[in-house]
């Protein structure tokens, strides 16, 4: 039930078709090979699976509910909308699913120091959390712009004992934090494990992070079969790097379910202030992977924008580039304003304040729902809760 | 045999080791870059590595990040870099190498890049984010006649050193530290052990050592265990606040050169 039919990616070289790979400085090749080896040796190890399952249930609070969104469904008067509630995970977002998996690997690798990058701060908080629990030193790179707009999460990381290292290069957001984390790793490979927060970077990260996040889709499938006795017709998720999206998509690939990824259109895709990578980018090599990339004519990476720090990234996970080209999933985008409206809508109708990232998935319902029929089923992944974004939302709504 | 390998061998035959200098294209002054490069060669540099800028230079420390940023602000792109190379080529017979990241090359068109580089008199290319795993997918036959120089680092296993030595042409670039450009050596003795081991394992290529070499002392320490040294960040740093004649930088290069002999 959990394995996807006829879909075996990445290949042995870490490629999803032409995307993916290991475009990294030589220094990182050996640690990446070690990581891949330990991951393959543990992936099907009953002890490892049991340890992770137990943490997922007793620490994170999995399975997260699948909530029927009664009022939202009535609001559109079309198909039935269900919400996968990753906002109810410990720490408030799906990021903990990956952080727990990777901290177990780091322990097995004998590493004592953990580094991470963060945009919204959710991955930073998740990493700081698992480091506190497992007694590891934790350093989180975060762009100065994001430190400002996600200040609550900065404090959470500090309270959890992590050191937050401000990044002032480039656009001072997620991409620059990722560059700094990679540079740190190059300099400290011996004792350090890098917990990447999304399905990005060099192989084996996109595969590994996907596998840890696919618990979302595996649960959702079980839950919707229990409630409705069948697969949904649509699954909708927001895409920054793409980890919550691939997590819920993966167990449904090649099963006649329409998979929809929603990117951030920022001020609009007719402006240059957006991060709709799959919509407007083209093939590039960036941060260790070949993937769609927002770049200028000369191959310089674009400065991008989204109101949501977790989506404010010019690249995207290589598997999404592959799913797009193979037309296995479809990708659309919604603007900052549409995401803010969706935040308000979900709060009013369902009593759930979503993260601004997740609000992008909700916002796409405006386009999707009119096309659905009453007997169709839609699952939206609510990847996180909105507490971290209250300041931004407050300012945007002018409360 | 490659022009670069041949050049290094001839120098080595007269007991001379190579001094290769890294400059960022169009830095610090986009209008006087070729002039600076020729001065550097005249001061004793045996080879030049011309860095073309990228917005996200993963393998570089703050110094070369800064020079790349200035170069981008100065409007330096690959076309401009080829023009610099062609201009420098008019004044020198020494090897010219281009160094930079994969994405600008991919975007320019890999074949067009190779053709234009050769036409500009460039002899070799270093792309730090193309390890041997990606080599065959990236470099095609249009790179015949252009050396593709690969890197070896302290995390490279002996088995990999052999594979890299087989694929690399021109020379192998031995990175003396695990770190970004401009980092300093944490332990000289372990670095020396690494250099000695690598030098004896590399069979097909000459070996130059770079990263973490900033002064005459470093040069004297490392030179006996390789065929030449590469200095980058120290030169860029010197250029950051040099006079219009680049006197301090030229001085630095003369000193580095004399400490090699
Ligand atoms: C709640 C939430 N959703 C989504 C994302 C975007 O990441 P991804 O696309 O990897 O799920 C983030 C990233 O910070 C997040 O915090």
């Amino acid at each position: 039930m959990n394995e996807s039919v006829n879909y075996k990616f990445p290949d042995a070289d870490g490629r999803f078709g032409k995307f993916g790979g290991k475009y990294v400085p030589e220094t990182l090749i050996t640690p990446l090979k070690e990581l891949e080896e330990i991951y393959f040796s543990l992936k099907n190890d009953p002890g490892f699976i049991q340890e992770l399952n137990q943490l997922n249930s007793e620490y994170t609070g999995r399975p997260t509910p699948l909530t029927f969104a009664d009022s939202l469904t009535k609001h559109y008067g079309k198909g039935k909308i269900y919400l996968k509630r990753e906002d109810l995970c410990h720490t408030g977002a799906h990021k903990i699913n990956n952080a727990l998996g990777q901290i177990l690997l780091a322990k097995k690798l004998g590493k004592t120091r953990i580094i991470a990058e963060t945009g919204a701060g959710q991955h930073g908080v998740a990493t700081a959390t698992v480091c506190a629990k497992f007694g590891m030193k934790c350093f989180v790179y975060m762009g100065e712009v994001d430190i400002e707009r996600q200040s609550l999460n900065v404090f959470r990381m500090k309270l959890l004992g992590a050191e937050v290292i401000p990044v002032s290069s480039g656009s001072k957001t997620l991409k620059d934090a990722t560059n700094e984390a990679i540079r740190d790793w190059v300099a400290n490979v011996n004792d350090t494990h890098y917990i990447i927060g999304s399905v990005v970077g060099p192989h084996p990260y996109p595969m590994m992070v996907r596998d840890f996040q696919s618990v979302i889709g595996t649960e959702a499938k079980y839950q919707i079969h229990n409630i409705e006795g069948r697969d949904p017709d649509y699954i909708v998720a927001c895409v920054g790097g793409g980890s919550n999206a691939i997590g819920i998509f993966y167990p449904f690939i090649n099963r006649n379910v329409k998979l929809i990824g929603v990117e951030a259109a920022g001020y609009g895709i007719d402006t240059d202030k957006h991060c709709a990578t799959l919509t407007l980018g083209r093939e590039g090599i960036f941060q260790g992977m070949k993937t769609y990339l927002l770049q200028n004519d000369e191959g310089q990476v674009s400065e991008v924008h989204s109101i949501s720090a977790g989506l404010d990234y010019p690249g995207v996970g290589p598997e999404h580039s592959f799913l797009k080209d193979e037309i296995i999933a479809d990708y659309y985008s919604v603007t900052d304003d549409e995401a803010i409206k969706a935040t308000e809508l979900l709060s009013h109708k369902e009593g759930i304040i979503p993260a601004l990232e997740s609000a992008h998935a909700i916002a796409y319902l405006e386009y999707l729902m009119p096309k659905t029929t009453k007997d169709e089923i839609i699952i939206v992944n609510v990847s996180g809760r909105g507490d971290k974004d209250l300041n931004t939302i407050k300012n945007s709504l002018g409360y | 045999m490659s022009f670069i390998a041949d050049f290094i061998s001839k120098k080595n035959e007269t007991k001379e080791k190579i001094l290769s200098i890294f400059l960022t294209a169009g830095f610090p002054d986009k209008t006087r870059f070729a002039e600076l490069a020729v001065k550097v060669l005249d001061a004793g540099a045996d080879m030049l590595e011309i860095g073309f800028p990228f917005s996200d230079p993963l393998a570089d420390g703050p110094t070369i990040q800064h020079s790349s940023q200035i170069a981008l602000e100065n409007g330096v792109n690959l076309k401009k870099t080829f023009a610099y190379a062609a201009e420098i080529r008019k004044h020198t017979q020494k090897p010219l190498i281009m160094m930079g990241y994969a994405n600008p090359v991919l975007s320019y068109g890999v074949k067009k890049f190779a053709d234009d580089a050769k036409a500009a008199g460039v002899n070799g290319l270093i792309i730090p984010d193309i390890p041997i795993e990606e080599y065959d997918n990236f470099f095609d036959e249009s790179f015949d006649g252009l050396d593709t120089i690969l890197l070896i680092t302290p995390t490279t296993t002996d088995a990999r050193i052999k594979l890299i030595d087989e694929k690399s042409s021109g020379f192998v670039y031995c990175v003396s530290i695990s770190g970004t450009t401009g980092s300093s050596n944490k332990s000289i003795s372990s670095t020396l052990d690494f250099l000695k081991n690598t030098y004896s394992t590399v069979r097909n290529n000459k070996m130059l050592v770079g990263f973490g070499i900033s002064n005459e002392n470093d040069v004297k320490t490392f030179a006996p265990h390789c065929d030449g040294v590469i200095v980058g960040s120290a030169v860029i740093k010197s250029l950051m606040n040099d006079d219009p004649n680049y006197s301090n930088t030229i001085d630095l290069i003369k000193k580095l050169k004399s400490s090699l002999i």
Side-chain angles (χ1 to χ4, degrees), chain B residues 59 99 151 173 175-177 179-183 185 209-213 230:
Chain B
M99 181 164 184
L151 294 89
Y173 188 139
V175 174
S176 78
I177 45 168
T180 50
T181 52
S183 315
N185 271 287
V209 175
F211 284 46
I213 299 178
I230 303 165

Side-chain angles (χ1 to χ4, degrees), chain A residues 93-95 120 122 198 238-244 310-311 355 357-358 383-384:
Chain A
H94 69 293
K95 298 286 182 186
Q122 285 303 129
S198 191
C238 69
V239 177
S243 68
N244 85 89
L311 305 183
E357 290 78 14
S358 323
S383 54

Side-chain angles (χ1 to χ4, degrees), chain B residues 21-43 45 48 84 87-88 235-236 238-240 242-247 249-250 253:
Chain B
I21 296 293
F22 173 91
L23 297 172
T24 297
F27 178 85
D29 183 340
K30 67 174 170 185
T31 59
R32 296 180 56 213
F33 180 71
E35 179 195 334
L36 164 66
V38 172
K39 275 181 197 275
V40 165
L41 289 165
D42 288 346
L48 215 53
Y84 287 138
E87 180 61 29
I88 298 162
V235 174
I236 300 291
S238 161
L239 285 168
M240 276 180 195
D242 209 346
D243 61 47
N245 292 321
Y246 308 118
S247 320
T249 306
I250 298 308
I253 287 162

